[in-house]
Amino acid sequence: MLVSFLQVAAQPPRVTRIEPPNWWIGMKWNRLQLMLYGEHLDNVGVVSQDPGLRVLAVHEIANSSYAFIDVEIGENLDAGEYVLSLEKADGKESISFILLQREDPSGRFQGFDQRDIIYLITTDRFTNGDTTNDEIQGMSEGLDRTNPYGRHGGDIQGIIDKLDYIKDLGVTTIWNQPLVENNGRTSYHGYAVTDMYRIDPRFGTNALFKRFVDEAHSRGLKVIMDHVNNHIGINHPWIKNLPTADWLNGSVEDHQPPYHGKIELHDIHSDSGTRSKATHGWFTDYMPDLNQKNPLVKNYLIQNTLWWIQFSGLDGIRDDTYPYADQEFLSEWCMALLTEYPNFNIVGEVWIQDPAFLAPYQRGSHLPKAFDTNLPSITDFGLYDAFVKVFGSGESISTIHRALAHDFLFPDAEGLVTFLDNHDTRRIMHRVNGDVRRFKLALQLLLTTRGIPQIYYGTEIGMMGGSDHGRIRADFPGGFPGDRRDAFTATGRTAEENGIFQFLKELIALRRSHEALMQ
């Protein structure tokens, strides 16, 4: 009876997916960790059919649905298809892994700095260029423009269609909110990923994303990808079958609640318990917190980011919820990206208003901390807070002067990303209660002050928004079928909107034509 049971239980390995799906020859990151999905992957031996692709290790984990294999890509290996044999006593399976030739790096991986002006887009709310992807079978949400928190249909094709409009405005760099798959409810924003290697099909395809980057580059525009290291979406397939028991910080049933204290993370006097609450707490109950201290998770995240950069030719990364992830991991992550792409830039979203606690997040900080972050740029919430107080609450302009007077705390104040509003904050026109004069004064100050200015889509026509995310991320008029007017055109804008558009366009041109304004 025992022999019969063992005969039934014995099964050969079966692989259904490999991540990353491919790699490139000539990468500095040439020791790769392959994550295999499938069945009966426990106690498997792995043999490479080519000595140039060397198997270094097979990690022992308890879950037979996954295998983690370390391989080294030899210096003299050619692009092509390479075979790995997975062997067990009860059978074997051969899998193919593709190594590609790297593209010419000219015009790619450019980075961004104070000579650039960033245009931030909530893709779902910008313009719908392909109505055939509004409804996708198997995805949890389809089109519902009546719901301010639902899918409205904006996509990558829509941005491609408006690249000339964006170029004409004068900005140099596009930052999209995340475009990877978010197969969950109310996830149009992109921050609840369910597949890290796939563009959400309601936005387009991986190939279309690459085409978008290429089309932007052909017009002299750069592209920043929004990325999340801290968490995933609750509907990610991992949640039903975690690769390892410690893949997450906590579990769906038992996890630390959100803790938004961030100032302690680089305070040498803070206690480990408080720091742990910040990095181990879940951002929300539907965004499970990844455990970056797990070396398998760490490698997965680093390789995923490198993969997207190399695949698409990106120029920069904006990393979401930066203080909430393990800080030592983030330092390694930054170093890996900048070692591979020396001209690249990374901006971390650090929502801290006090410059004394914000500055330690930037690399090279002379403020006391346990290690260097290696992070080139951070979001300047200190200056943003001053802008809001002056233009939104009527405080003296000296409030902005006091904020700028703290620049000595930053190793590179010119490299901070500055802004009046973004996808998480009330629009500046709402802050000034529709006062166009104050609105223009705020834009003047943003574009004539140090840093890398970021403009939120719709600011060029004075979009008002509101106090909730649905209205902050409102649809751009004219971007969607059935819209009564097209504000992408002068004839579709009101006289006031045309005045604002022309004012901002001239202000951008002024900044870009004077070196002193870009310092």
Side-chain angles (χ1 to χ4, degrees), residues 219-382:
R219 292 166 172 81
L221 296 168
K222 301 176 181 179
V223 177
I224 297 172
M225 185 180 195
D226 208 334
H227 178 267
V228 188
N229 273 311
N230 180 63
H231 55 261
I232 54 176
I234 195 69
N235 290 329
H236 196 293
W238 288 338
I239 302 305
K240 293 182 179 179
N241 186 15
L242 289 175
T244 65
D246 63 345
W247 198 258
L248 302 177
N249 289 314
S251 66
V252 174
E253 298 77 22
D254 182 21
H255 57 265
Q256 289 193 28
Y259 176 77
H260 299 296
K262 302 176 283 290
I263 63 175
E264 302 94 344
L265 290 176
H266 289 294
D267 179 356
I268 60 174
H269 301 295
S270 66
D271 65 279
S272 59
T274 304
R275 293 194 298 272
S276 177
K277 285 196 295 184
T279 58
H280 287 64
W282 287 28
F283 194 70
T284 72
D285 287 338
Y286 65 91
M287 292 179 175
D289 199 70
L290 292 171
N291 174 21
Q292 298 92 16
K293 285 194 177 299
N294 178 327
L296 302 176
V297 176
K298 179 183 75 171
N299 281 330
Y300 183 94
L301 292 170
I302 291 172
Q303 292 176 174
N304 175 256
T305 318
L306 289 171
W307 188 90
W308 278 111
I309 296 169
Q310 185 61 44
F311 169 77
S312 63
L314 288 168
D315 302 296
I317 292 283
R318 179 264 187 187
D319 201 65
D320 183 64
T321 53
Y322 203 83
Y324 296 87
D326 182 78
Q327 296 299 294
E328 292 187 60
F329 153 74
L330 287 171
S331 178
E332 289 187 52
W333 175 77
C334 286
M335 180 58 72
L337 269 56
L338 297 172
T339 298
E340 196 73 54
Y341 307 101
N343 296 324
F344 206 70
N345 200 358
I346 309 164
V347 55
E349 183 209 21
V350 183
W351 199 325
I352 297 175
Q353 286 93 335
D354 189 332
F357 293 105
L358 181 61
Y361 283 88
Q362 193 175 31
R363 71 179 176 190
S365 174
H366 49 269
L367 297 174
K369 56 186 178 182
F371 54 88
D372 197 290
T373 65
N374 294 315
L375 177 64
S377 179
I378 47 182
T379 48
D380 193 353
F381 272 95

Side-chain angles (χ1 to χ4, degrees), residues 169 429 436 439-440 443 458-463 494-506:
L169 181 61
M429 184 62 92
V436 175
F439 172 80
K440 289 182 176 180
L443 286 173
T459 298
E460 69 271 25
I461 59 169
M463 283 178 64
T494 66
E496 181 175 272
E497 288 172 341
N498 271 321
I500 292 171
F501 184 91
Q502 194 60 34
F503 173 81
L504 181 55
K505 182 176 178 178
E506 292 175 1

